[in-house]
Amino acid sequence: MNVQADDFFFSGLNIMGNTSNPVGSKVTPVTVAQLPGLNTLGISMVRIDYAPWGLNPPHTHPRATEILTVLEGSLQVGFVTSNPENRLISKVLQKGDVFVFPVGLVHFQRNVGYGNAVAIAALSSQNPGVITIANAVFGSNPPIAADLLAKAFQVKTSVVDQLQSKF
Amino acid sequence: MNVQADDFFFSGLNIMGNTSNPVGSKVTPVTVAQLPGLNTLGISMVRIDYAPWGLNPPHTHPRATEILTVLEGSLQVGFVTSNPENRLISKVLQKGDVFVFPVGLVHFQRNVGYGNAVAIAALSSQNPGVITIANAVFGSNPPIAADLLAKAFQVKTSVVDQLQSKF
Amino acid sequence: MNVQADDFFFSGLNIMGNTSNPVGSKVTPVTVAQLPGLNTLGISMVRIDYAPWGLNPPHTHPRATEILTVLEGSLQVGFVTSNPENRLISKVLQKGDVFVFPVGLVHFQRNVGYGNAVAIAALSSQNPGVITIANAVFGSNPPIAADLLAKAFQVKTSVVDQLQSKF
Amino acid sequence: MNVQADDFFFSGLNIMGNTSNPVGSKVTPVTVAQLPGLNTLGISMVRIDYAPWGLNPPHTHPRATEILTVLEGSLQVGFVTSNPENRLISKVLQKGDVFVFPVGLVHFQRNVGYGNAVAIAALSSQNPGVITIANAVFGSNPPIAADLLAKAFQVKTSVVDQLQSKF
Amino acid sequence: MNVQADDFFFSGLNIMGNTSNPVGSKVTPVTVAQLPGLNTLGISMVRIDYAPWGLNPPHTHPRATEILTVLEGSLQVGFVTSNPENRLISKVLQKGDVFVFPVGLVHFQRNVGYGNAVAIAALSSQNPGVITIANAVFGSNPPIAADLLAKAFQVKTSVVDQLQSKF
Amino acid sequence: MNVQADDFFFSGLNIMGNTSNPVGSKVTPVTVAQLPGLNTLGISMVRIDYAPWGLNPPHTHPRATEILTVLEGSLQVGFVTSNPENRLISKVLQKGDVFVFPVGLVHFQRNVGYGNAVAIAALSSQNPGVITIANAVFGSNPPIAADLLAKAFQVKTSVVDQLQSKF
């Protein structure tokens, strides 16, 4: 009844995200947390900036499929199918190309050029969630036991210690 | 099992649509019809080009909410709430602004500048459908009876005849 | 726990609606607003009365399919398919006939007889919403700009002014 | 593409059903089996005729809520809530009254008058299913073992034999 | 944000239920009522204990499909398909066997051995609901009229009185 | 119409899985692939065996929540919440304990005893999917580029080479 235009409005997706971080990428989200009018409407949008060779590292969205288009630059993108195939479905995208990452699958994008890259993506939920694999597995709080991860990844505990020390 | 990267790929959203038509706008869709990998995944994307003062005329998507961001230019956007309020919720958007059009509501965008405008939008269905109000009401095939429309719009039949003759 | 029979009960669908209005029809709704027990249950019902030649004007339900049966009189009914076909699917119904209006499509009913007509319809949502096209497009509050509508309907602004003056 | 008006049309809901049967009621269904255009649309409709004191016996719809209105006569209607309350929610309906039977609950209607009664009901599925309790429990093919039912209903096997002999 | 492990935890499914009751079975539920973390997650679990020849009597779940596996003993299980077939689909299960009861259908399990039997089952809702047919039909509060049930089950009222006296 | 009891039946969940593999655990699934009658019914079941100190390594189900109960032994279980918290929610379970893993989140179970452990779990989809993180990230076919993973996990490429060599 009392909805206003501003309930359906968000400003700033033209602003480049700060990619000065270890992976060289930045996601600017427009989900229900930023835009309350999205509540119950089943969609959201993000801008992704990539420094040269910057990476949006392997992650999943537990509640959404993603569709992405490249505004600037060249991106290598990929997702991995579920067990038992674990096939990598991968492609290098140029400006204007569109790619789909099906719900729940591990996926990534990497800038494969010497300039900045920018993408706009949309997700099929107002609250898609993001699970960055490295952070969830090696950077949780508290940490998952190192010997458990050593068995999962079939490496020595010292390798896991090294991985956990980064997060 | 035999999915390929190209099943999830579409090319060409960087290409300006041809806006040489009566309304001065052009939608380039990436739905399941153009990108088969979207099947069952509940999302799609479009590019919309607007000539100066071009209009994406009042329409609805029977099966999707839309989220739109402006890449270039300035757009006046709006949607109308359902009966009995019929409130127009409207806003002028600049580059980087985002706006939401809830599922099934009548909405439009108009370029309010002297240059071209471009938007990217996403929809919460792989097959959202589009109903352009003018075409559905005054341009259907066969036409809706003119006297019926005259009563609906409370005008003389000659006004309806005029409206129907355009489509 | 404390539900009562009256939470699931509504009275008065036998009462003829007042059709003394410009379109000559009246909808009596039984949705979650009138019958709270419908909450979350995904269905609602309406009675529609039609004066002789009365019209339930072109409208959409953003969240529901409708199924209608004629109790008295003869109704011409129709809906228009989405772009690009915009086909009018139409039929004259007699007493006992049933017709379906798929979710989100523009549809109407008109009494094509000299007596009153009555229909009972059900909708696949407890809160289906109604968008009367004429009211949403030419009667919103505030109004959609006349020159915008003139471009959408490809008529002079004076024709739009005339249409807007009726609502 | 090739849909026709007849795909969305059914004729005959004005015709009284034959209630010459042990329970004195008859349901005339308009589901996807009778009206193919209902496919995926999530709704269906039925007419129910009741001889004087006729009964639509206790049953459930495994996939639908039902909303019913009385066209003629007086109906006692009721449904029973789930375990552990098993509360009977009941009401006598007159012409024009509306009642809701929530999805999956056991419910019934009985004509409590000396004339015929008629109701129109709608269901929130194109394929709601019907499970008449008496038929499912005592009339299945092959029968459920009599000693099993005797324990369930806490009566002698001879009582179950009597019940099973009716179906 | 403040979720704790205990919000996702329930203890005691190893404990044998007390089967000293007329039907000789006991269901120990783990639904959202016992385990709040299940809220919105669409699943629940139960343990079912059966005394020798104990019966989990004919019942339905209005909002869930059930999948069951036998941990100990032998169970005769069955469900009845909807009208008009009312086919009994039945099987004797041994330890390690799995059986499915589709949403909304009447089903039962009976221990067909001289020792105790135990099953674990899961349901496709955090709040599946249970309607025990005997209790809903013959044991509701207030009772369904005896003459109504006599007509439904096609027996004398005295038989219904006998059935109702047990609940 | 022609369904048989065997369409709803699966045998063998009492049989211990072969845990002679690097992680020391084995999942025996009963999904729609093994039990066709589960089609459209929204649920499935698995047995999980764990050798002493065996691990069901970190994984996600893209389309299902999981509920698990311990039949034998002691299991440490955990899941990690999404960004930005990445909280580990963890618990040691004993026989009869139940735990929930919400849809799409990374989770694991580890036998923390010197004997075998066994669990039964159910999932809220007939086709839940499984993504074992180690296999998807370090064992895909073809592999994800080592330098990309090195950046994602912030380690030297040689560490990634070591991880990839195991799968």
Side-chain angles (χ1 to χ4, degrees), chain C residues 1 3 5-6 8-14 43 65 85 87 89-91 95-100 122-124, chain D residues 1 3 5-6 8-14 41 43 85 87 89-91 95-100 122-124:
Chain C
M1 290 293 178
V3 295
D6 283 353
F8 298 90
F9 173 72
F10 173 91
S11 180
L13 225 50
N14 58 320
I43 202 161
T65 290
E85 285 82 10
R87 283 185 57 210
I89 305 290
S90 181
K91 186 97 182 172
K95 191 172 171 171
D97 289 354
V98 175
F99 205 77
V100 180
L123 299 121
S124 62
Chain D
M1 292 294 176
V3 295
D6 284 352
F8 299 89
F9 173 72
F10 172 91
S11 182
L13 225 50
N14 59 320
L41 293 179
I43 201 159
E85 286 81 10
R87 281 185 58 210
I89 305 289
S90 182
K91 186 94 181 173
K95 190 172 172 173
D97 289 353
V98 175
F99 206 78
V100 181
L123 298 120
S124 62

Side-chain angles (χ1 to χ4, degrees), chain D residues 7-167:
Chain D
D7 298 331
F8 299 89
F9 173 72
F10 172 91
S11 182
L13 225 50
N14 59 320
I15 300 171
M16 188 181 164
N18 180 355
T19 59
S20 300
N21 55 52
V23 290
S25 76
K26 179 67 178 180
V27 175
T28 304
V30 188
T31 70
V32 72
Q34 289 81 30
L35 206 170
L38 285 173
N39 195 21
T40 78
L41 293 179
I43 201 159
S44 55
M45 189 175 261
V46 300
R47 173 190 170 121
I48 317 173
D49 285 281
Y50 310 83
W53 303 98
L55 174 68
N56 188 5
H59 63 284
T60 70
H61 303 293
R63 291 177 295 275
T65 290
E66 178 175 350
I67 186 167
L68 173 148
T69 190
V70 180
L71 296 189
E72 285 180 39
S74 298
L75 293 179
Q76 182 200 3
V77 302
F79 66 82
V80 182
T81 65
S82 0
N83 293 356
E85 286 81 10
N86 300 123
R87 281 185 58 210
L88 173 63
I89 305 289
S90 182
K91 186 94 181 173
V92 174
L93 306 183
Q94 309 299 339
K95 190 172 172 173
D97 289 353
V98 175
F99 206 78
V100 181
F101 305 105
V103 56
L105 299 190
V106 175
H107 61 287
F108 61 85
Q109 305 104 32
R110 178 164 63 156
N111 183 353
V112 288
Y114 291 94
N116 290 325
V118 183
I120 292 286
L123 298 120
S124 62
S125 166
Q126 68 269 14
N127 181 20
V130 186
I131 299 168
T132 302
I133 299 299
N135 296 55
V137 175
F138 297 108
S140 72
N141 176 14
I144 300 176
D147 65 324
L148 186 159
L149 292 175
K151 179 172 275 191
F153 289 86
Q154 298 174 43
V155 290
K156 293 184 186 162
T157 303
S158 61
V159 175
V160 171
D161 289 343
Q162 196 178 339
L163 285 153
Q164 290 187 323
S165 69
K166 307 295 175 175
F167 294 94

Side-chain angles (χ1 to χ4, degrees), chain A residues 8-153:
Chain A
F8 298 90
F9 174 72
F10 173 92
S11 182
L13 226 49
N14 58 321
I15 301 171
M16 188 182 164
N18 180 353
T19 60
S20 300
N21 56 50
V23 291
S25 75
K26 179 68 179 179
V27 174
T28 304
V30 188
T31 69
V32 73
Q34 289 80 31
L35 206 169
L38 285 172
N39 195 21
T40 78
L41 293 179
I43 201 160
S44 54
M45 188 176 263
V46 300
R47 173 191 170 121
I48 318 173
D49 285 280
Y50 310 83
W53 303 99
L55 173 69
N56 188 5
H59 63 284
T60 69
H61 303 293
R63 292 177 294 275
T65 288
E66 179 175 347
I67 186 167
L68 174 148
T69 190
V70 180
L71 296 190
E72 285 180 39
S74 298
L75 293 179
Q76 182 199 4
V77 302
F79 67 82
V80 182
T81 64
S82 2
N83 292 353
E85 286 81 9
N86 299 122
R87 282 184 58 209
L88 174 63
I89 305 290
S90 183
K91 186 95 181 173
V92 174
L93 305 184
Q94 309 298 339
K95 191 173 170 170
D97 289 353
V98 175
F99 206 77
V100 181
F101 305 105
V103 57
L105 298 190
V106 175
H107 62 286
F108 61 85
Q109 306 103 34
R110 178 164 65 154
N111 182 352
V112 288
Y114 291 95
N116 290 325
V118 184
I120 292 286
L123 298 120
S124 63
S125 167
Q126 68 269 14
N127 180 21
V130 185
I131 299 168
T132 301
I133 299 299
N135 297 54
V137 174
F138 296 108
S140 72
N141 177 15
I144 299 176
D147 64 325
L148 185 160
L149 292 175
K151 179 171 276 190
F153 289 87

Side-chain angles (χ1 to χ4, degrees), chain A residues 1 6 10 13 85 91 96 98, chain B residues 6 10 13 85 91 96 98:
Chain A
M1 291 295 176
D6 284 353
F10 173 92
L13 226 49
E85 286 81 9
K91 186 95 181 173
V98 175
Chain B
D6 283 353
F10 173 90
L13 225 48
E85 285 81 9
K91 186 97 183 171
V98 175

